[in-house]
PDB file of all heavy atoms in Angstrom:
ATOM      1  N   SER A  72      18.817   8.834  46.417  1.00 74.00           N
ATOM      2  CA  SER A  72      18.692   9.066  47.845  1.00 74.00           C
ATOM      3  C   SER A  72      18.646  10.534  48.192  1.00 74.00           C
ATOM      4  O   SER A  72      18.030  11.020  49.151  1.00 74.00           O
ATOM      5  CB  SER A  72      19.773   8.516  48.545  1.00 74.00           C
ATOM      6  OG  SER A  72      21.013   9.041  48.175  1.00 74.00           O
ATOM      7  N   ILE A  76      15.796  12.725  50.347  1.00 72.00           N
ATOM      8  CA  ILE A  76      16.088  13.715  51.482  1.00 72.00           C
ATOM      9  C   ILE A  76      15.553  15.019  51.207  1.00 72.00           C
ATOM     10  O   ILE A  76      14.936  15.701  51.979  1.00 72.00           O
ATOM     11  CB  ILE A  76      17.638  13.759  51.566  1.00 72.00           C
ATOM     12  CG1 ILE A  76      18.181  12.478  52.236  1.00 72.00           C
ATOM     13  CG2 ILE A  76      17.924  15.019  52.580  1.00 72.00           C
ATOM     14  CD1 ILE A  76      19.721  12.497  52.302  1.00 72.00           C
ATOM     15  N   VAL A  93      14.614  10.419  64.011  1.00 71.00           N
ATOM     16  CA  VAL A  93      14.745   9.322  63.059  1.00 71.00           C
ATOM     17  C   VAL A  93      14.825   9.832  61.656  1.00 71.00           C
ATOM     18  O   VAL A  93      15.728   9.314  60.808  1.00 71.00           O
ATOM     19  CB  VAL A  93      13.423   8.358  63.007  1.00 71.00           C
ATOM     20  CG1 VAL A  93      13.427   7.316  61.857  1.00 71.00           C
ATOM     21  CG2 VAL A  93      13.325   7.694  64.412  1.00 71.00           C
ATOM     22  N   LEU A  94      14.135  10.982  61.267  1.00 71.00           N
ATOM     23  CA  LEU A  94      14.358  11.607  59.985  1.00 71.00           C
ATOM     24  C   LEU A  94      15.793  12.086  59.869  1.00 71.00           C
ATOM     25  O   LEU A  94      16.348  11.944  58.748  1.00 71.00           O
ATOM     26  CB  LEU A  94      13.352  12.753  59.825  1.00 71.00           C
ATOM     27  CG  LEU A  94      11.786  12.331  59.659  1.00 71.00           C
ATOM     28  CD1 LEU A  94      11.048  13.583  59.692  1.00 71.00           C
ATOM     29  CD2 LEU A  94      11.647  11.651  58.385  1.00 71.00           C
ATOM     30  N   LEU A  95      16.207  12.680  60.919  1.00 75.00           N
ATOM     31  CA  LEU A  95      17.579  13.286  60.782  1.00 75.00           C
ATOM     32  C   LEU A  95      18.668  12.182  60.703  1.00 75.00           C
ATOM     33  O   LEU A  95      19.541  12.270  59.887  1.00 75.00           O
ATOM     34  CB  LEU A  95      17.883  14.030  62.190  1.00 75.00           C
ATOM     35  CG  LEU A  95      18.917  15.250  62.042  1.00 75.00           C
ATOM     36  CD1 LEU A  95      18.337  16.252  61.175  1.00 75.00           C
ATOM     37  CD2 LEU A  95      19.098  15.701  63.421  1.00 75.00           C
ATOM     38  N   ALA A  96      18.411  11.083  61.447  1.00 79.00           N
ATOM     39  CA  ALA A  96      19.519   9.972  61.389  1.00 79.00           C
ATOM     40  C   ALA A  96      19.445   9.285  60.107  1.00 79.00           C
ATOM     41  O   ALA A  96      20.400   8.964  59.398  1.00 79.00           O
ATOM     42  CB  ALA A  96      19.211   8.867  62.422  1.00 79.00           C
ATOM     43  N   GLY A  97      18.204   9.142  59.484  1.00 76.00           N
ATOM     44  CA  GLY A  97      18.061   8.498  58.123  1.00 76.00           C
ATOM     45  C   GLY A  97      18.667   9.466  56.940  1.00 76.00           C
ATOM     46  O   GLY A  97      19.277   8.833  56.143  1.00 76.00           O
ATOM     47  N   GLY A  98      18.403  10.620  57.099  1.00 77.00           N
ATOM     48  CA  GLY A  98      19.031  11.565  56.183  1.00 77.00           C
ATOM     49  C   GLY A  98      20.649  11.586  56.263  1.00 77.00           C
ATOM     50  O   GLY A  98      21.278  11.658  55.157  1.00 77.00           O
ATOM     51  N   ALA A  99      21.048  11.613  57.485  1.00 82.00           N
ATOM     52  CA  ALA A  99      22.545  11.513  57.740  1.00 82.00           C
ATOM     53  C   ALA A  99      23.189  10.327  57.078  1.00 82.00           C
ATOM     54  O   ALA A  99      24.180  10.392  56.407  1.00 82.00           O
ATOM     55  CB  ALA A  99      22.886  11.765  59.200  1.00 82.00           C
ATOM     56  N   LEU A 100      22.528   9.175  57.333  1.00 82.00           N
ATOM     57  CA  LEU A 100      22.972   7.854  56.715  1.00 82.00           C
ATOM     58  C   LEU A 100      22.982   7.850  55.352  1.00 82.00           C
ATOM     59  O   LEU A 100      23.899   7.399  54.661  1.00 82.00           O
ATOM     60  CB  LEU A 100      22.173   6.692  57.339  1.00 82.00           C
ATOM     61  CG  LEU A 100      22.496   6.357  58.748  1.00 82.00           C
ATOM     62  CD1 LEU A 100      21.523   5.351  59.312  1.00 82.00           C
ATOM     63  CD2 LEU A 100      23.916   5.856  58.848  1.00 82.00           C
ATOM     64  N   ALA A 101      21.920   8.509  54.656  1.00 79.00           N
ATOM     65  CA  ALA A 101      21.821   8.536  53.220  1.00 79.00           C
ATOM     66  C   ALA A 101      22.827   9.377  52.727  1.00 79.00           C
ATOM     67  O   ALA A 101      23.478   9.080  51.629  1.00 79.00           O
ATOM     68  CB  ALA A 101      20.348   8.971  52.801  1.00 79.00           C
ATOM     69  N   LEU A 102      23.075  10.499  53.287  1.00 80.00           N
ATOM     70  CA  LEU A 102      24.076  11.394  52.794  1.00 80.00           C
ATOM     71  C   LEU A 102      25.481  10.782  52.894  1.00 80.00           C
ATOM     72  O   LEU A 102      26.325  11.034  52.024  1.00 80.00           O
ATOM     73  CB  LEU A 102      24.037  12.786  53.434  1.00 80.00           C
ATOM     74  CG  LEU A 102      22.859  13.698  53.005  1.00 80.00           C
ATOM     75  CD1 LEU A 102      22.820  14.946  53.835  1.00 80.00           C
ATOM     76  CD2 LEU A 102      22.992  14.004  51.539  1.00 80.00           C
ATOM     77  N   THR A 103      25.761  10.163  53.971  1.00 85.00           N
ATOM     78  CA  THR A 103      26.962   9.485  54.241  1.00 85.00           C
ATOM     79  C   THR A 103      27.323   8.459  53.257  1.00 85.00           C
ATOM     80  O   THR A 103      28.380   8.288  52.668  1.00 85.00           O
ATOM     81  CB  THR A 103      27.057   9.002  55.650  1.00 85.00           C
ATOM     82  OG1 THR A 103      26.908   9.989  56.616  1.00 85.00           O
ATOM     83  CG2 THR A 103      28.491   8.257  55.883  1.00 85.00           C
ATOM     84  N   GLY A 104      26.304   7.555  53.015  1.00 81.00           N
ATOM     85  CA  GLY A 104      26.393   6.569  51.945  1.00 81.00           C
ATOM     86  C   GLY A 104      26.561   7.136  50.594  1.00 81.00           C
ATOM     87  O   GLY A 104      27.264   6.564  49.774  1.00 81.00           O
ATOM     88  N   THR A 105      25.875   8.148  50.294  1.00 77.00           N
ATOM     89  CA  THR A 105      25.943   8.734  48.947  1.00 77.00           C
ATOM     90  C   THR A 105      27.398   9.280  48.749  1.00 77.00           C
ATOM     91  O   THR A 105      28.050   9.127  47.861  1.00 77.00           O
ATOM     92  CB  THR A 105      25.081  10.003  48.776  1.00 77.00           C
ATOM     93  OG1 THR A 105      23.797   9.500  48.895  1.00 77.00           O
ATOM     94  CG2 THR A 105      25.367  10.729  47.531  1.00 77.00           C
ATOM     95  N   TYR A 106      28.044   9.894  49.814  1.00 82.00           N
ATOM     96  CA  TYR A 106      29.377  10.425  49.772  1.00 82.00           C
ATOM     97  C   TYR A 106      30.400   9.340  49.575  1.00 82.00           C
ATOM     98  O   TYR A 106      31.299   9.346  48.719  1.00 82.00           O
ATOM     99  CB  TYR A 106      29.748  11.171  51.062  1.00 82.00           C
ATOM    100  CG  TYR A 106      31.217  11.465  51.186  1.00 82.00           C
ATOM    101  CD1 TYR A 106      31.760  12.481  50.486  1.00 82.00           C
ATOM    102  CD2 TYR A 106      31.988  10.653  52.016  1.00 82.00           C
ATOM    103  CE1 TYR A 106      33.093  12.759  50.615  1.00 82.00           C
ATOM    104  CE2 TYR A 106      33.348  10.996  52.151  1.00 82.00           C
ATOM    105  CZ  TYR A 106      33.901  11.996  51.342  1.00 82.00           C
ATOM    106  OH  TYR A 106      35.260  12.278  51.482  1.00 82.00           O
ATOM    107  N   PHE A 107      30.250   8.269  50.409  1.00 82.00           N
ATOM    108  CA  PHE A 107      31.116   7.065  50.252  1.00 82.00           C
ATOM    109  C   PHE A 107      30.892   6.372  48.865  1.00 82.00           C
ATOM    110  O   PHE A 107      31.994   6.062  48.213  1.00 82.00           O
ATOM    111  CB  PHE A 107      30.945   6.026  51.300  1.00 82.00           C
ATOM    112  CG  PHE A 107      31.469   6.568  52.608  1.00 82.00           C
ATOM    113  CD1 PHE A 107      30.681   6.323  53.745  1.00 82.00           C
ATOM    114  CD2 PHE A 107      32.758   6.878  52.715  1.00 82.00           C
ATOM    115  CE1 PHE A 107      31.196   6.645  54.925  1.00 82.00           C
ATOM    116  CE2 PHE A 107      33.261   7.344  53.937  1.00 82.00           C
ATOM    117  CZ  PHE A 107      32.552   7.234  55.078  1.00 82.00           C
TER     118      PHE A 107
END
Side-chain angles (χ1 to χ4, degrees):
S72 67
I76 292 170
V93 173
L94 290 175
L95 206 66
L100 284 173
L102 285 176
T103 303
T105 299
Y106 169 75
F107 283 131

